[in-house]
Amino acid sequence: MVPPPRFDSVRFSTYLPDPNQPSQAEAVRVLEEFAAGLGERPAGGARRGLFGFGRSRAKAPAGPRGVYLDGGYGVGKTHLLASLWHATPADPSRKAFGTFVELTNLVGALGFQKTVETLSGHRLLCIDEFELDDPGDTVLVSTLLGRLVEAGVALAATSNTLPGKLGEGRFAAADFLREIQGLAAHFRTLRIDGEDYRHRGLPEAPPPFTDEQVTRAAYATEGASLDDFPQLLAHLARVHPSRYGALTEGVTAVCLTDVQPVPDQSTALRLVVLADRLYDREVPVLASGLPFDRLFGEEMLKGGYRKKYFRAISRLTALARDAQRLVDTHA
């Protein structure tokens, strides 16, 4: 549970705040202070830190025990979260970084109590892409984070949704209001405004290529995959999303033919996870068919998962721009 390859070398110093968005520079300042307060506990058990993180376990401080980075897609939230992980002065074995899905998968693999025991000795738990898509996850994560806070673990998370609004539009959030409010109580929210840095000042993404161009580039690129898009979507339905990272291991480029609109929400959510894993690993995506901004129908882009879909479009577009060199090289 460490930052993925794309964010292995990022630091606060490599984050470039938009001068027109003061909330970005403010987020860096707050997070640098937050990291400085999370050093190793001195002997004797007395510990002090930002927001009272350092006090003894017997007297857990009231109020937020973590920071929550809220903002639109592409404002650098994951960059800042990974920078916080790197800047925290603790042994790497005592801080963890993972997506929300990876955290719930960890509970599934180890069991709830073993997960609590495993993470309780950590100084920091970073959770990227925090989302609550069903009531079961709400209760599970609320209970888990509550136990970790009691054990003195500091929390940091990113999301496109304010803590108190998690789950809204996706399930009967009102029925689980207590759990959602309990989650929100663990965090101090930092709002990060701005436009999508992945496309700031850059030309439009290249239009889709032809099947022949994609196929030729795939065969000419060592380690590239070549898939028919509908067949890939069918295959993803047979692989648990927790394995999508492993699915992409060793792949140097993803080449797709016949990209079409995603047919349903379940398929769309699986594609979002794959897009995240490809983006984490900096794998370029070369495609024919429809452009990526037409993957998700209008109803999907207005529904409860719309922010996930917009994030996927943004990331796939960036990866498509990276992939243009494959065609230029092998033209």
Side-chain angles (χ1 to χ4, degrees):
M1 297 187 72
V2 299
R6 178 179 289 272
F7 300 100
D8 184 52
S9 61
V10 301
R11 299 294 187 272
F12 289 127
S13 60
T14 64
Y15 181 81
L16 303 177
D18 185 341
N20 297 317
Q21 302 292 344
S23 61
Q24 295 186 8
E26 174 66 7
V28 173
R29 184 192 67 78
V30 171
L31 290 173
E32 285 180 328
E33 292 180 2
F34 183 73
L38 295 177
E40 293 292 340
R41 300 164 185 167
R47 309 170 317 218
R48 286 196 174 275
L50 191 66
F51 307 132
F53 285 130
R55 300 172 188 171
S56 66
R57 293 189 184 188
K59 294 182 179 180
R65 300 294 306 277
V67 289
Y68 190 100
L69 308 182
D70 173 69
Y73 52 89
V75 295
K77 299 186 300 298
T78 303
H79 183 134
L80 291 172
L81 188 70
S83 298
L84 173 64
W85 188 93
H86 289 298
T88 296
D91 187 274
S93 65
R94 301 195 63 214
K95 48 188 179 180
F97 185 106
T99 65
F100 179 83
V101 171
E102 288 170 334
L103 180 62
T104 56
N105 288 339
L106 182 67
V107 177
L110 299 182
F112 180 82
Q113 189 56 41
K114 185 64 176 178
T115 301
V116 172
E117 294 172 3
T118 300
L119 296 177
S120 287
H122 284 54
R123 295 296 292 128
L124 173 69
L125 171 62
C126 295
I127 310 169
D128 198 21
E129 300 160 14
F130 203 114
E131 293 286 352
L132 295 179
D133 295 338
D134 63 66
D137 281 349
T138 303
V139 176
L140 172 70
V141 175
S142 177
T143 306
L144 174 64
L145 297 188
R147 294 281 294 276
L148 294 179
V149 166
E150 290 175 0
V153 181
L155 307 174
T158 72
S159 181
N160 298 320
T161 308
L162 289 168
K165 300 293 185 180
L166 288 166
E168 191 173 78
R170 294 187 281 281
F171 63 88
D175 295 339
F176 294 87
L177 187 59
R178 180 174 59 84
E179 284 79 6
I180 293 172
Q181 289 176 336
L183 282 171
H186 297 314
F187 297 102
R188 167 189 173 180
T189 299
L190 291 179
R191 175 69 189 180
I192 304 175
D193 300 303
E195 59 180 310
D196 188 346
Y197 79 92
R198 284 183 282 267
H199 312 299
R200 188 191 305 162
L202 294 176
E204 288 294 318
F209 295 96
T210 66
D211 288 352
E212 181 183 2
Q213 288 175 306
V214 172
T215 302
R216 184 167 59 244
Y219 277 99
T221 304
E222 185 176 356
S225 64
L226 176 62
D227 292 281
D228 175 72
F229 187 68
Q231 292 181 2
L232 173 63
L233 296 183
H235 180 68
L236 292 180
R238 299 190 292 270
V239 180
H240 193 277
S242 65
R243 301 294 299 163
Y244 289 3
L247 192 68
T248 64
E249 286 299 323
V251 177
T252 60
V254 169
C255 299
L256 302 172
T257 57
D258 194 23
V259 171
Q260 304 175 10
V262 179
D264 57 74
Q265 191 125 264
S266 295
T267 303
L269 292 173
R270 287 192 289 267
L271 183 60
V272 167
V273 177
L274 179 64
D276 287 338
R277 300 294 78 78
L278 292 173
Y279 184 77
D280 289 345
R281 290 159 174 77
E282 301 181 298
V283 180
V285 179
L286 187 69
S288 68
L290 289 180
F292 288 131
D293 60 3
R294 293 170 61 186
L295 277 174
F296 308 107
E298 184 177 356
E299 185 175 344
M300 290 183 185
L301 294 179
K302 291 182 177 179
Y305 299 105
R306 61 189 177 278
K307 291 180 180 178
K308 285 191 173 187
Y309 300 145
F310 281 118
R311 183 180 76 229
I313 291 170
S314 172
R315 290 183 165 185
L316 287 171
T317 298
L319 296 177
R321 189 180 292 119
D322 294 342
Q324 184 156 7
R325 59 179 171 77
L326 301 177
V327 174
D328 295 340
T329 302
H330 303 295

